[in-house]
Amino acid sequence: MRRMITFLIIMLIMSIIKGNAAANHEGPVTVLNYSESGMRHRFEYNYKQTEDGTCTLSRKEGWRDSESVTHQVDPSVGEELWKLVKKYNMLAYKSSYRPSERVLDGKMWHLDAEFAKGEHLYTGGENEWPSGDGIDELEKYLNNLWNTFPQKVSLMEYYVYGTTMYHTCHFKLELDFPTGKYTLLNAANCPKDKARSVEVPESVADEIGRIVTEENMMDYKRDYESEYQVLDGESWSLRIRLLNCSENVYSSGHEAWPEGNGIKRIVELCDKTWKELEKKSFPSPLKD
């Protein structure tokens, strides 16, 4: 009798262990697509694990039919996505969510995912979401992960002005979408018709993207003002547009700057690049 009880206890323990092991290895997510769109915006995330185990995350911004920027990520991302799916019981989501009353505008979303164990998740909605914080937490996780990557820059403009007639510092890096080429404009201490530009390698824009990420420049405030009133002094303005990213940098100030070395590093990079390529520059009147 004792042997039988002991045997049953052992079998029960093994069953629990086996059940827990299976539950802990139901994931990970192998494919996930999440998109959101409205009247004036659209973005789409795509996570994928290939047969060789390589994992990538890409994001496409806007309505243009263009290639998305892709970054390789650690396989643990698939596990973290699976944890969110389990925590918020996303496999129980309905295939479609719609409000009881018709809404002409608003927001649409879609989530499509596949898992290592073979299950599939397909859901979406228009101005209506499942109960709980699952979709919000998923979007937050993807946004936070994406913001850790160096961002692709399509435009960067920084200028400083004071009591003089012309900007004492004025650099503008801009991407020409049809050709895919970048130009760097230098309009410091000169009128608009004297401004000159030079074609620069894409690596310059990539380096600015790294600076934006490393210096947390997307967290810059819109305005910086000195604690004490300064009648003269220097004022500055900075704008940076990022490809495939919902956030951009728009900031300015008067005799006050954000913490860190982000602006200084960008100016030093532009100054160094300009000096190396100045002989190849060409006339380039300023345009918005």
Side-chain angles (χ1 to χ4, degrees):
M1 186 67 178
R2 289 182 178 178
R3 290 183 178 178
M4 179 61 71
I5 294 175
T6 302
F7 175 75
L8 291 174
I9 291 174
I10 292 174
M11 292 299 294
L12 178 60
I13 293 173
M14 290 181 64
S15 176
I16 293 173
I17 294 174
K18 184 177 180 180
N20 288 338
N24 291 333
H25 293 84
E26 289 177 325
V29 172
T30 55
V31 176
L32 184 140
N33 303 304
Y34 178 71
S35 63
E36 186 179 294
S37 59
M39 287 293 291
R40 296 185 178 182
H41 81 284
R42 181 184 184 278
F43 69 85
E44 178 181 352
Y45 280 114
N46 290 280
Y47 169 81
K48 184 177 182 180
Q49 182 180 24
T50 59
E51 293 183 358
D52 64 0
T54 301
C55 299
T56 58
L57 179 67
S58 62
R59 177 179 170 116
K60 183 180 292 186
E61 186 80 19
W63 299 95
R64 290 184 296 118
D65 186 17
S66 58
E67 292 186 5
S68 56
V69 176
T70 302
H71 295 284
Q72 186 169 331
V73 296
D74 191 271
S76 62
V77 171
E79 295 285 357
E80 292 301 319
L81 291 171
W82 171 248
K83 289 179 182 178
L84 288 173
V85 170
K86 290 286 285 183
K87 179 178 180 180
Y88 295 100
N89 197 25
M90 293 186 185
L91 288 174
Y93 282 177
K94 296 187 300 182
S95 60
S96 180
Y97 291 85
R98 296 288 187 275
S100 57
E101 298 180 0
R102 186 181 180 186
V103 181
L104 297 178
D105 296 327
K107 184 185 295 184
M108 294 180 290
W109 62 275
H110 174 75
L111 173 61
D112 183 7
E114 298 176 13
F115 310 92
K117 65 176 182 176
E119 290 206 33
H120 189 270
L121 171 62
Y122 186 92
T123 183
E126 182 177 347
N127 299 310
E128 190 70 27
W129 292 262
S131 60
D133 299 324
I135 297 300
D136 287 340
E137 291 300 315
L138 174 66
E139 183 180 341
K140 184 186 298 183
Y141 173 79
L142 293 170
N143 285 338
N144 289 339
L145 178 60
W146 189 258
N147 288 338
T148 64
F149 304 131
Q151 303 297 333
K152 281 284 185 180
V153 173
S154 62
L155 180 140
M156 185 288 303
E157 184 172 25
Y158 175 73
Y159 56 87
V160 179
Y161 55 96
T163 56
T164 59
M165 183 180 298
Y166 306 120
H167 296 154
T168 57
C169 176
H170 191 168
F171 284 114
K172 183 178 181 181
L173 179 84
E174 189 166 16
L175 169 64
D176 179 60
F177 285 96
T179 64
K181 295 181 179 180
Y182 283 89
T183 57
L184 177 65
L185 175 143
N186 187 349
N189 299 310
C190 67
K192 290 183 177 181
D193 60 350
K194 298 296 182 181
R196 300 185 68 83
S197 292
V198 63
E199 185 178 323
V200 299
E202 186 177 351
S203 59
V204 176
D206 290 343
E207 180 61 24
I208 291 177
R210 278 189 286 273
I211 293 172
V212 169
T213 301
E214 293 171 3
E215 298 287 345
N216 298 316
M217 297 180 73
M218 285 185 286
D219 294 334
Y220 279 8
K221 296 189 299 183
R222 181 64 184 86
D223 296 293
Y224 290 85
E225 292 292 336
S226 174
E227 181 179 356
Y228 304 99
Q229 184 176 5
V230 181
L231 296 179
D232 295 326
E234 289 186 327
S235 297
W236 58 273
S237 179
L238 171 70
R239 59 174 176 152
I240 301 176
R241 291 195 200 128
L242 302 169
L243 289 170
N244 301 302
C245 183
S246 60
E247 299 182 49
N248 295 296
V249 181
Y250 295 97
S251 189
S252 61
H254 178 70
E255 284 298 312
W257 287 263
E259 295 181 359
N261 296 311
I263 293 177
K264 179 182 178 182
R265 289 174 63 185
I266 288 178
V267 171
E268 289 178 346
L269 173 65
C270 291
D271 187 58
K272 178 182 177 182
T273 302
W274 180 263
K275 289 178 179 177
E276 291 174 350
L277 302 172
E278 184 177 5
K279 292 181 179 179
K280 300 180 181 179
S281 65
F282 47 88
S284 179
L286 274 175
K287 297 179 182 179
D288 291 333

